[in-house]
Amino acid sequence: MTGIRLNASAPGWAIAADVVVVGSGVAGLTAALRCAAAGLSTVVVTKARLDDGSTRWAQGGIAAALGEGDTPDQHLDDTLVAGAGLCDEEAVRALVTEGPDAVRRLIATGAHFDTSAAGEIELTREGGHHRRRIAHAGGDATGAEISRALVEAVRDGGLRTIENALVLDLLTDAEGRTAGVTLHVMGEGQHDGVGAVHAPAVVLATGGMGQVFSATTNPAVSTGDGVALALRAGAEVSDLEFVQFHPTVLFLGTDSEGQQPLVSEAVRGEGAHLVDAAGTRFMLGQHELAELAPRDIVAKGIMRRMHEQGAAHMYLDARHFGARMWEHRFPTILAACRAHGIDPVTEPIPVAPAAHYASGGVRTDLRGRTTVPGLYACGEVACTGVHGANRLASNSLLEGLVFAERIAADIASRAPLSAGEPVAPASPSELPLIAPEARVEIQRIMSQGAGVLRSAASLTEAAAALEGVHRAAVEGQEGPAKTAEPGVESWETSNLLCVARVLTAAALEREETRGCHWREDRPDRDDTTWRRHLVIRIEPDRSLVVRRTESTAFPATSAATVPDAPREHQP
């Protein structure tokens, strides 16, 4: 344990449970429902409302070998190719083998997918997939339907939920085992202010960290809270350098910030073309799948064309769909485009890459266990090894389902659970909080220095600028990075700075181009040196220890391994 904590008041109230699940997306709610079904007292804590996470924004669908002629092995092959040599094959095999039945259980829970006249699930195709294996709902509202079904099941099941609650830090007992979490509840409710949930099992399902960049498809709640909490608790994280930038995000102008409208990959799966201002299809000849190449390939293709032409965006042309197909198959995207003055029925859609998905996160084993006993992670906050250096389209919802079920099974196998009393860290260390005004500065630094295109120079400059934000807070200087008072916005900004600094350190360390990590100064993939994972943890003195794994497989989370040559960074 590091002893590092956010600056917050002591809990003024506490409740007890067997399991506390932090997050209410597909991963969190699936884990909670399965734990409750096993007879475990389960509490769900979520930052906003139950349906406010990233899951409901998922448009394309959920990938699984459900179609005639498709097999888990074919799904595995496509996933391994997209992952650019860094997938943990055992984790991928678990995903694709258990995936179809997990989707069927989701349907049994109440999710309704689009079906044909014959009652068969309609399947589409997305980038990197050689078969049509993407199940969708409401045309392009798959995430919203999955969220609706799971939230309804949670409420019908009478699970205890705490909404509008920002998780703060992990509680541990005298032996260093998980003993629950502290949290801050905002607004009116049964509990307000800082409190605690005491539980021997904590499941992190807090989603991603897209808000660390200026433009992202992620909702405002995606501030890396779970990864930051895990780092402070002494857990290992991995692969944070692999941030997937979705190739086709609706371009709203060079100064646009915050959550941007996504134009699903399924639009390309149904036959839309990427073109430049002259109408030329520039992905032809760059990859055998052209516009349906894996996302890192398409994002790079768009960026290259933009640089060649000095353009701020490219176009997605689907005018040949016609009004009826747009209205039936992509009603959400159609409405979003028209809301911004663009009619995809009659004109190409301006698009550019934006931060979309964190392939890395809190390192887990195949049962979702982290390196801290009793702490689990699933969904985007976790790094299971499934995604490698680049997530295959629509594998994220499936990963959330499969590994949430695996976590619930592991926790249930350990019942009855008993928690030790939470104890204060032996050497507590409170982080200086970062003022909310610094959030925009952190996002600007990351977008300029650690975005789609990176180099040693840009990353070094970003690291120095982030250090400046941190030092200003430590020294109590005036300005946007000055020390802040405890509160939701300052806690979020502090979490963003934490994950930004670790992400930048990892990206600087990996001196190659692989998957969605694109180093301009190191344009080639180097399997001899870099077909490895980077594993990072924070020491009690707040230094970072970065080490490489010995292979593409992760070491066991239950036993520490001796690093070959750890390199220390000062965060």
Side-chain angles (χ1 to χ4, degrees), residues 127-144:
H129 293 272
H130 282 79
R131 283 191 174 273
R132 298 177 76 92
R133 65 167 65 97
I134 315 300
H136 50 84
D140 58 358
T142 310

PDB file of all heavy atoms in Angstrom, residues 127-144:
ATOM      1  N   GLY A 127     -14.922  -2.469 -38.402  1.00  0.00           N
ATOM      2  CA  GLY A 127     -13.512  -2.534 -38.744  1.00  0.00           C
ATOM      3  C   GLY A 127     -12.767  -3.661 -38.048  1.00  0.00           C
ATOM      4  O   GLY A 127     -12.909  -3.855 -36.844  1.00  0.00           O
ATOM      5  N   GLY A 128     -11.957  -4.394 -38.815  1.00  0.00           N
ATOM      6  CA  GLY A 128     -11.150  -5.471 -38.269  1.00  0.00           C
ATOM      7  C   GLY A 128     -11.841  -6.812 -38.226  1.00  0.00           C
ATOM      8  O   GLY A 128     -11.194  -7.843 -37.992  1.00  0.00           O
ATOM      9  N   HIS A 129     -13.151  -6.840 -38.438  1.00  0.00           N
ATOM     10  CA  HIS A 129     -13.904  -8.100 -38.428  1.00  0.00           C
ATOM     11  C   HIS A 129     -14.031  -8.623 -39.861  1.00  0.00           C
ATOM     12  O   HIS A 129     -14.418  -7.892 -40.767  1.00  0.00           O
ATOM     13  CB  HIS A 129     -15.308  -7.891 -37.853  1.00  0.00           C
ATOM     14  CG  HIS A 129     -15.328  -7.537 -36.402  1.00  0.00           C
ATOM     15  ND1 HIS A 129     -15.344  -8.484 -35.402  1.00  0.00           N
ATOM     16  CD2 HIS A 129     -15.338  -6.326 -35.783  1.00  0.00           C
ATOM     17  CE1 HIS A 129     -15.373  -7.868 -34.220  1.00  0.00           C
ATOM     18  NE2 HIS A 129     -15.364  -6.568 -34.428  1.00  0.00           N
ATOM     19  N   HIS A 130     -13.750  -9.904 -40.026  1.00  0.00           N
ATOM     20  CA  HIS A 130     -13.906 -10.519 -41.341  1.00  0.00           C
ATOM     21  C   HIS A 130     -15.299 -11.115 -41.539  1.00  0.00           C
ATOM     22  O   HIS A 130     -15.609 -11.616 -42.609  1.00  0.00           O
ATOM     23  CB  HIS A 130     -12.831 -11.586 -41.559  1.00  0.00           C
ATOM     24  CG  HIS A 130     -11.483 -11.015 -41.909  1.00  0.00           C
ATOM     25  ND1 HIS A 130     -10.636 -10.478 -40.961  1.00  0.00           N
ATOM     26  CD2 HIS A 130     -10.858 -10.856 -43.102  1.00  0.00           C
ATOM     27  CE1 HIS A 130      -9.528 -10.045 -41.547  1.00  0.00           C
ATOM     28  NE2 HIS A 130      -9.639 -10.255 -42.846  1.00  0.00           N
ATOM     29  N   ARG A 131     -16.114 -11.068 -40.498  1.00  0.00           N
ATOM     30  CA  ARG A 131     -17.489 -11.573 -40.609  1.00  0.00           C
ATOM     31  C   ARG A 131     -18.450 -10.575 -39.979  1.00  0.00           C
ATOM     32  O   ARG A 131     -18.071  -9.746 -39.150  1.00  0.00           O
ATOM     33  CB  ARG A 131     -17.633 -12.927 -39.902  1.00  0.00           C
ATOM     34  CG  ARG A 131     -17.065 -14.104 -40.700  1.00  0.00           C
ATOM     35  CD  ARG A 131     -17.481 -15.412 -40.064  1.00  0.00           C
ATOM     36  NE  ARG A 131     -17.088 -16.552 -40.862  1.00  0.00           N
ATOM     37  CZ  ARG A 131     -17.803 -17.076 -41.853  1.00  0.00           C
ATOM     38  NH1 ARG A 131     -18.980 -16.548 -42.156  1.00  0.00           N
ATOM     39  NH2 ARG A 131     -17.383 -18.127 -42.515  1.00  0.00           N
ATOM     40  N   ARG A 132     -19.705 -10.704 -40.326  1.00  0.00           N
ATOM     41  CA  ARG A 132     -20.753  -9.917 -39.686  1.00  0.00           C
ATOM     42  C   ARG A 132     -21.062 -10.578 -38.348  1.00  0.00           C
ATOM     43  O   ARG A 132     -21.672 -11.642 -38.301  1.00  0.00           O
ATOM     44  CB  ARG A 132     -22.007  -9.853 -40.574  1.00  0.00           C
ATOM     45  CG  ARG A 132     -21.760  -9.170 -41.909  1.00  0.00           C
ATOM     46  CD  ARG A 132     -23.001  -9.191 -42.790  1.00  0.00           C
ATOM     47  NE  ARG A 132     -23.998  -8.213 -42.358  1.00  0.00           N
ATOM     48  CZ  ARG A 132     -24.080  -6.971 -42.810  1.00  0.00           C
ATOM     49  NH1 ARG A 132     -23.206  -6.530 -43.712  1.00  0.00           N
ATOM     50  NH2 ARG A 132     -25.012  -6.153 -42.381  1.00  0.00           N
ATOM     51  N   ARG A 133     -20.613  -9.942 -37.266  1.00  0.00           N
ATOM     52  CA  ARG A 133     -20.817 -10.555 -35.945  1.00  0.00           C
ATOM     53  C   ARG A 133     -21.188  -9.502 -34.893  1.00  0.00           C
ATOM     54  O   ARG A 133     -21.083  -9.747 -33.701  1.00  0.00           O
ATOM     55  CB  ARG A 133     -19.575 -11.334 -35.504  1.00  0.00           C
ATOM     56  CG  ARG A 133     -18.310 -10.543 -35.251  1.00  0.00           C
ATOM     57  CD  ARG A 133     -17.270 -11.404 -34.509  1.00  0.00           C
ATOM     58  NE  ARG A 133     -16.820 -12.499 -35.303  1.00  0.00           N
ATOM     59  CZ  ARG A 133     -15.689 -12.510 -36.027  1.00  0.00           C
ATOM     60  NH1 ARG A 133     -14.896 -11.448 -36.044  1.00  0.00           N
ATOM     61  NH2 ARG A 133     -15.351 -13.574 -36.722  1.00  0.00           N
ATOM     62  N   ILE A 134     -21.636  -8.327 -35.330  1.00  0.00           N
ATOM     63  CA  ILE A 134     -21.965  -7.262 -34.382  1.00  0.00           C
ATOM     64  C   ILE A 134     -23.479  -7.202 -34.205  1.00  0.00           C
ATOM     65  O   ILE A 134     -24.215  -6.831 -35.126  1.00  0.00           O
ATOM     66  CB  ILE A 134     -21.468  -5.884 -34.870  1.00  0.00           C
ATOM     67  CG1 ILE A 134     -20.031  -5.973 -35.411  1.00  0.00           C
ATOM     68  CG2 ILE A 134     -21.585  -4.867 -33.741  1.00  0.00           C
ATOM     69  CD1 ILE A 134     -19.004  -6.447 -34.416  1.00  0.00           C
ATOM     70  N   ALA A 135     -23.945  -7.592 -33.019  1.00  0.00           N
ATOM     71  CA  ALA A 135     -25.363  -7.471 -32.697  1.00  0.00           C
ATOM     72  C   ALA A 135     -25.641  -6.037 -32.254  1.00  0.00           C
ATOM     73  O   ALA A 135     -24.863  -5.441 -31.523  1.00  0.00           O
ATOM     74  CB  ALA A 135     -25.733  -8.445 -31.583  1.00  0.00           C
ATOM     75  N   HIS A 136     -26.768  -5.488 -32.715  1.00  0.00           N
ATOM     76  CA  HIS A 136     -27.083  -4.092 -32.405  1.00  0.00           C
ATOM     77  C   HIS A 136     -28.540  -3.953 -31.991  1.00  0.00           C
ATOM     78  O   HIS A 136     -29.356  -4.867 -32.191  1.00  0.00           O
ATOM     79  CB  HIS A 136     -26.775  -3.187 -33.607  1.00  0.00           C
ATOM     80  CG  HIS A 136     -27.361  -3.679 -34.907  1.00  0.00           C
ATOM     81  ND1 HIS A 136     -28.661  -3.420 -35.291  1.00  0.00           N
ATOM     82  CD2 HIS A 136     -26.810  -4.427 -35.899  1.00  0.00           C
ATOM     83  CE1 HIS A 136     -28.889  -3.969 -36.470  1.00  0.00           C
ATOM     84  NE2 HIS A 136     -27.781  -4.594 -36.864  1.00  0.00           N
ATOM     85  N   ALA A 137     -28.851  -2.803 -31.418  1.00  0.00           N
ATOM     86  CA  ALA A 137     -30.214  -2.552 -30.928  1.00  0.00           C
ATOM     87  C   ALA A 137     -30.617  -1.125 -31.269  1.00  0.00           C
ATOM     88  O   ALA A 137     -29.791  -0.213 -31.190  1.00  0.00           O
ATOM     89  CB  ALA A 137     -30.289  -2.761 -29.421  1.00  0.00           C
ATOM     90  N   GLY A 138     -31.876  -0.957 -31.644  1.00  0.00           N
ATOM     91  CA  GLY A 138     -32.353   0.376 -31.986  1.00  0.00           C
ATOM     92  C   GLY A 138     -31.569   0.991 -33.115  1.00  0.00           C
ATOM     93  O   GLY A 138     -31.392   2.201 -33.164  1.00  0.00           O
ATOM     94  N   GLY A 139     -31.077   0.159 -34.027  1.00  0.00           N
ATOM     95  CA  GLY A 139     -30.236   0.640 -35.120  1.00  0.00           C
ATOM     96  C   GLY A 139     -28.852   0.960 -34.614  1.00  0.00           C
ATOM     97  O   GLY A 139     -27.925   0.167 -34.743  1.00  0.00           O
ATOM     98  N   ASP A 140     -28.702   2.133 -34.014  1.00  0.00           N
ATOM     99  CA  ASP A 140     -27.388   2.561 -33.526  1.00  0.00           C
ATOM    100  C   ASP A 140     -27.466   2.994 -32.068  1.00  0.00           C
ATOM    101  O   ASP A 140     -26.735   3.883 -31.631  1.00  0.00           O
ATOM    102  CB  ASP A 140     -26.837   3.701 -34.384  1.00  0.00           C
ATOM    103  CG  ASP A 140     -27.768   4.912 -34.423  1.00  0.00           C
ATOM    104  OD1 ASP A 140     -28.856   4.847 -33.808  1.00  0.00           O
ATOM    105  OD2 ASP A 140     -27.410   5.920 -35.056  1.00  0.00           O
ATOM    106  N   ALA A 141     -28.350   2.355 -31.302  1.00  0.00           N
ATOM    107  CA  ALA A 141     -28.524   2.717 -29.887  1.00  0.00           C
ATOM    108  C   ALA A 141     -28.330   1.497 -28.991  1.00  0.00           C
ATOM    109  O   ALA A 141     -29.044   1.299 -28.005  1.00  0.00           O
ATOM    110  CB  ALA A 141     -29.904   3.328 -29.667  1.00  0.00           C
ATOM    111  N   THR A 142     -27.338   0.688 -29.334  1.00  0.00           N
ATOM    112  CA  THR A 142     -27.120  -0.569 -28.609  1.00  0.00           C
ATOM    113  C   THR A 142     -26.824  -0.338 -27.136  1.00  0.00           C
ATOM    114  O   THR A 142     -27.400  -0.989 -26.262  1.00  0.00           O
ATOM    115  CB  THR A 142     -25.953  -1.345 -29.256  1.00  0.00           C
ATOM    116  OG1 THR A 142     -26.173  -1.429 -30.663  1.00  0.00           O
ATOM    117  CG2 THR A 142     -25.854  -2.745 -28.657  1.00  0.00           C
ATOM    118  N   GLY A 143     -25.918   0.578 -26.865  1.00  0.00           N
ATOM    119  CA  GLY A 143     -25.547   0.835 -25.471  1.00  0.00           C
ATOM    120  C   GLY A 143     -26.715   1.299 -24.633  1.00  0.00           C
ATOM    121  O   GLY A 143     -26.874   0.895 -23.476  1.00  0.00           O
ATOM    122  N   ALA A 144     -27.554   2.142 -25.225  1.00  0.00           N
ATOM    123  CA  ALA A 144     -28.719   2.650 -24.494  1.00  0.00           C
ATOM    124  C   ALA A 144     -29.663   1.517 -24.129  1.00  0.00           C
ATOM    125  O   ALA A 144     -30.231   1.484 -23.031  1.00  0.00           O
ATOM    126  CB  ALA A 144     -29.441   3.704 -25.332  1.00  0.00           C
TER     127      ALA A 144
END
